Amino acid sequence: MKIREQALQQLKDFSENFLSNYARDRNFDFGPDKRTNTSCLSKYITHRIIDEEEVLKSANSKYPYIKIEKFIQEVFWRTYWKGWLELKPKVFQSYKSDLLKLNEQIQSKPYQDAISGKTEIECFNDWVNELKNTGYLHNHTRMWFASIWIFTLKLPWQLGADFFLKHLLDGDVASNTLSWRWVAGLHTKGKHYVAASWNINKFSKKKYDHLKLNESATALFESENFSSTPIHFDKLNNENSLFLAHNLDSNFLLKTKDKFNHYALFDFNSVLEKENYSKKVLDFKAHINAEIADHLKSNFNSTTILRNKEELLKIVSEKNIKNIAMPYLTCGYENDFISKIKNEIKITYLARDYDQYCFQFSNKGFFAFKEQIPKILSVIFKN
């Protein structure tokens, strides 16, 4: 089955059979073999194999808003994080800079024990192994994991966020970076999340008893204040144009009515290999790339796959390309790579109407964003 077909079937099954109990059951981690209390759609949404609008419309078609409000909010958390980081991109650049400074600590025994699942905390070790083996962790568990990493194991949050990003199939720079900052008490200054033994025991169905955790930790502090910068959305000029598909917005061509002269796939895996992404994540992205390539061949008679700046410059010269367009890249290693090329070639980022409309509400906390959800939904469901 094609990966989009898999995603649509997963969405259908969840919406019809499990969505109604989501609010009641979502916080329980029953283990990797029992995930029906969550949608398990995140790896598809991250790569927009299916997109947020499709998920929201599917949920809305089954139940009234009041019944599924919690699920709707969880979908919008991802949108909020993306918009917030687009408004404050220096947060990601600061995080990357911190990682370079922390490079020597990667060789330390506490860090190596943590990422090898060899700590004295049983649940944490289990989660490390689950993450490596499956490329997934339950959302509640991600909060527990981050809290233990920061406050009990006393490891830098940046290294934990990096570990997650490189191993999660649904790894999203905005959601991941800002969620770790939130747990640490940096996103909402002074408001941190401390994992409690009773909470882990309850929501893992009493699997872990007598955990010894630091439950009196104080929030981390940083002196830097990050100011917002307006988001610029490009306008399309498709005269003698090249469209570059990529796997962070896999179904873009299914949604757009714009036409282009030439089509190609940009494969970012070589970029992510240099950042030490796990083989499991790279293989998943390669699978998506293969299906995008099949789509380009079948629908646009293109077999062009680009992997670096030199290959892009070559096709621009050979085809006398005047305009390059690609689905909007939010903050991340892929965007950093393309941004450098933008200094030499004009590349237009094509933003979806959904993102352009939603990102404007991401300039404060999520609760301010949440107040706008009914308005956003009215716009989505009108289309």
Side-chain angles (χ1 to χ4, degrees), residues 262-313:
H262 306 279
Y263 294 81
L265 166 68
F266 204 99
D267 180 353
F268 285 111
N269 268 22
S270 59
V271 175
L272 301 183
E273 283 173 4
K274 293 176 183 177
E275 300 298 334
N276 298 314
Y277 273 64
S278 72
K279 184 178 184 301
K280 185 176 289 293
V281 170
L282 292 172
D283 286 348
F284 181 64
K285 289 179 180 289
H287 182 188
I288 302 171
N289 283 341
E291 295 204 0
I292 295 174
D294 285 344
H295 180 77
L296 292 179
K297 182 178 180 180
S298 300
N299 293 275
F300 303 101
N301 195 31
S302 172
T303 58
T304 305
I305 300 175
L306 307 175
R307 296 179 175 84
N308 53 54
K309 181 179 75 171
E310 290 70 31
E311 291 176 358
L312 177 58
L313 291 173

Side-chain angles (χ1 to χ4, degrees), residues 338-370:
I338 292 295
S339 292
K340 292 177 182 176
I341 301 178
K342 275 185 168 185
N343 293 327
E344 300 179 38
I345 317 171
K346 185 177 186 302
I347 299 177
T348 298
Y349 276 1
L350 304 179
R352 293 182 181 228
D353 292 342
Y354 172 87
D355 293 333
Q356 292 190 57
Y357 187 69
C358 291
F359 286 178
Q360 64 181 311
F361 304 122
S362 300
N363 57 342
K364 296 180 181 178
F366 180 73
F367 291 104
F369 184 99
K370 186 171 68 171

Side-chain angles (χ1 to χ4, degrees), residues 4 87 151 173 285 322 355:
R4 178 164 164 82
L87 287 163
F151 299 120
V173 163
K285 289 179 180 289
K322 301 299 182 186
D355 293 333

Side-chain angles (χ1 to χ4, degrees), residues 319-338:
K319 304 289 187 182
N320 192 29
I321 302 297
K322 301 299 182 186
N323 294 286
I324 301 172
M326 64 194 308
Y328 191 103
L329 284 169
T330 51
C331 287
Y333 293 108
E334 296 92 340
N335 176 60
D336 288 346
F337 177 81
I338 292 295

Side-chain angles (χ1 to χ4, degrees), residues 30-219:
F30 299 116
D33 298 325
K34 189 178 180 183
R35 291 287 184 224
T36 56
N37 61 318
T38 63
S39 73
C40 293
L41 294 170
S42 55
K43 66 181 179 181
Y44 302 121
I45 302 173
T46 290
H47 298 88
R48 277 188 166 159
I49 295 162
I50 56 174
D51 56 60
E52 296 87 342
E53 289 188 73
E54 290 176 308
V55 173
L56 294 167
K57 287 178 179 178
S58 174
N60 181 70
S61 71
K62 303 300 179 185
Y63 299 100
Y65 176 74
I66 193 68
K67 174 74 173 175
I68 56 172
E69 182 178 10
K70 186 53 68 175
F71 178 74
I72 297 294
Q73 288 176 9
E74 289 303 310
V75 175
F76 276 115
W77 264 107
R78 170 185 300 271
T79 304
Y80 165 73
W81 286 136
K82 279 185 176 293
W84 194 96
L85 195 57
E86 286 305 289
L87 287 163
K88 298 186 178 183
K90 288 186 178 179
V91 170
F92 179 61
Q93 300 307 323
S94 176
Y95 156 78
K96 290 203 309 173
S97 177
D98 289 344
L99 284 178
L100 291 175
K101 296 172 186 175
L102 293 166
N103 192 50
E104 290 185 4
Q105 195 160 338
I106 289 175
Q107 304 305 321
S108 71
K109 187 175 186 303
Y111 173 81
Q112 289 297 322
D113 285 347
I115 66 168
S116 302
K118 295 180 180 178
T119 72
E120 296 180 357
I121 305 169
E122 179 189 3
C123 59
F124 186 89
N125 297 340
D126 288 347
W127 299 331
V128 168
N129 292 324
E130 181 183 343
L131 174 59
K132 288 182 172 180
N133 292 332
T134 69
Y136 180 83
L137 281 180
H138 186 286
N139 187 58
H140 202 171
T141 298
R142 297 183 197 198
M143 293 167 59
W144 294 330
F145 186 109
S147 180
I148 292 171
W149 179 285
I150 296 167
F151 299 120
T152 298
L153 299 178
K154 299 188 183 304
L155 292 167
W157 72 266
Q158 297 92 331
L159 293 180
D162 182 66
F163 181 62
F164 263 21
L165 186 62
K166 306 304 172 55
H167 286 86
L168 287 167
L169 296 182
D170 63 11
D172 173 85
V173 163
S175 296
N176 187 66
T177 306
L178 299 179
S179 293
W180 274 82
R181 285 176 57 83
W182 181 82
V183 169
L186 300 173
H187 183 74
T188 304
K189 293 189 182 301
K191 184 178 181 181
H192 58 320
Y193 176 80
V194 179
S197 178
W198 72 266
N199 188 265
I200 295 173
N201 193 37
K202 173 183 176 180
F203 287 103
S204 59
K205 300 299 285 185
K206 299 184 178 179
K207 185 177 180 181
Y208 301 108
D209 258 332
H210 310 300
L211 294 172
K212 295 181 180 178
L213 307 177
N214 179 9
E215 299 185 22
S216 59
T218 56

